[in-house]
Amino acid sequence: MNCNIVTIPGDGIGPEIVREACKVLDKVGEVYGHTFTYTEVLMGGCSIDAYGVPLTDEALETARKSDAVLLGAVGGNVGNSRWYDVAPQLRPEAGLLAIRKGLNLFANIRPAYLYKELADACPLKKEIIGDGFDMVIMRELTGGLYFGERHTEEVDGVLQATDTLTYNENEIRRIAVKAFDIAMKRKKHVISVDKANVLDSSRLWRKVVEEVAKDYPEVTLEHMLVDNCAMQLVMNPGQFDVVLTENMFGDILSDEASMITGSIGMLSSASLNETRFGMYEPSHGSAPDIAGKDLANPIATVLSAAMMLRYSFDLDKEADAVEAAVQQVLTEGYRTADIWAEGCEKVGTAQMGRLIADRIR
Ligand code: NAD
């Protein structure tokens, strides 16, 4: 298979971690007979330096024509960087919003998986962790409260602010279809999270999700209220497989789910549109405090590349091989500084990438 990948290294540790993910992809190509071709474009602070804007139309167009995008991270030290003395739409992070919108990436997938080797970093008690957990949060990314009409006004001398939460059935259906498709590649269990006891938008959400479920008889569907879900995530995380939810609930629950894995350098993510196209990136930022020091953990980006293989290229076997290689490196006791523990061997960014690539079978 020939795959055209646009890479966006971005700022801070971005170039270091994307380099390692490409190293791993190249090894996958070698072992499984695929060709990955990379076209690099600028986004974020580096694009501001080169072109005066965080994302050029040309860069967006190049990304649009590719099969998938692999992103590092954008942004500098917010309190102390030349990129922030400008209007919000000219700051590095505006590039992110522009590319998500420009590529119509409405479905955000964030896995939360507990490696037993890193279980000590999990803030939950051992009896709650049990055999660990392995879930993905599927969050709607371009609708709901964050995109609704909003205003602040004075009513009878009192300030009043209004935000509106709107979803139409098409927006719900397309994200539900993504969630059920992904459940078919996993344990075939969707928990749809809403607030249907209060919100009309949630009642419509539930109705449409139930309609979509009829096309997936092998997948079990459950509904859960968002407040209960927030509790269940820390009481019994092992029960979740695919969590399907709207934008704001997903924003909060995905952070909660990632927190219980205990390590930000391990968390991958994907944002998909209606086709197989997706943008894949670690959940963390550009970590300017450790940039250029060979300290960054590249695993979140490597695992994001594995998601690219699985969801954009349908290469499940190859994605499994990347995930198994990460698992093996951890089992053998190699750790970057952020996840290091007594008795383990500390390695830098480049060595971690090499160790993973060497274990692709
Ligand atoms: P951050 O995620 O960059 O860093 C938080 C802490 O985690 C830091 O101590 C950092 O050293 C550490 N860390 C993060 N990733 C790591 C890795 N792979 N290996 C080892 N340690 C890691 O968050 P922040 O400091 O709040 O933000 C820094 C910049 O990143 C800001 O400009 C912010 O706007 C930007 N940001 C970008 C994205 C993105 O591009 N998607 C996401 C979040 C933040």
Side-chain angles (χ1 to χ4, degrees), residues 228-307:
N228 185 29
C229 183
M231 291 191 286
Q232 294 297 327
L233 277 172
V234 290
M235 271 169 37
N236 181 11
Q239 72 186 290
F240 295 99
D241 177 24
V242 177
V243 177
L244 162 64
T245 193
E246 60 94 74
N247 201 345
M248 184 177 68
F249 297 161
D251 187 8
I252 299 165
L253 295 175
S254 61
D255 269 12
E256 185 186 357
S258 50
M259 188 58 222
I260 58 173
T261 70
S263 41
I264 195 168
M266 305 287 297
L267 298 167
S268 54
S269 89
S271 302
L272 309 176
N273 71 12
E274 241 143 8
T275 68
R276 304 200 70 83
F277 181 87
M279 184 164 86
Y280 299 83
E281 57 180 309
S283 296
H284 58 73
S286 60
D289 51 330
I290 56 167
K293 298 180 179 163
D294 197 38
L295 282 175
N297 184 348
I299 293 179
T301 318
V302 169
L303 292 172
S304 302
M307 291 178 85

Side-chain angles (χ1 to χ4, degrees), residues 13 73-76 78 84 93 96 281 284-290 297 338:
I13 60 171
V74 298
V78 177
Y84 294 89
E93 290 77 2
L96 258 182
E281 57 180 309
H284 58 73
S286 60
D289 51 330
I290 56 167
N297 184 348
D338 56 312

Side-chain angles (χ1 to χ4, degrees), residues 148-153 160-164:
E149 201 272 318
R150 73 189 79 245
H151 62 269
T152 303
E153 63 190 331
Q160 176 173 295
T162 305
D163 296 285
T164 49

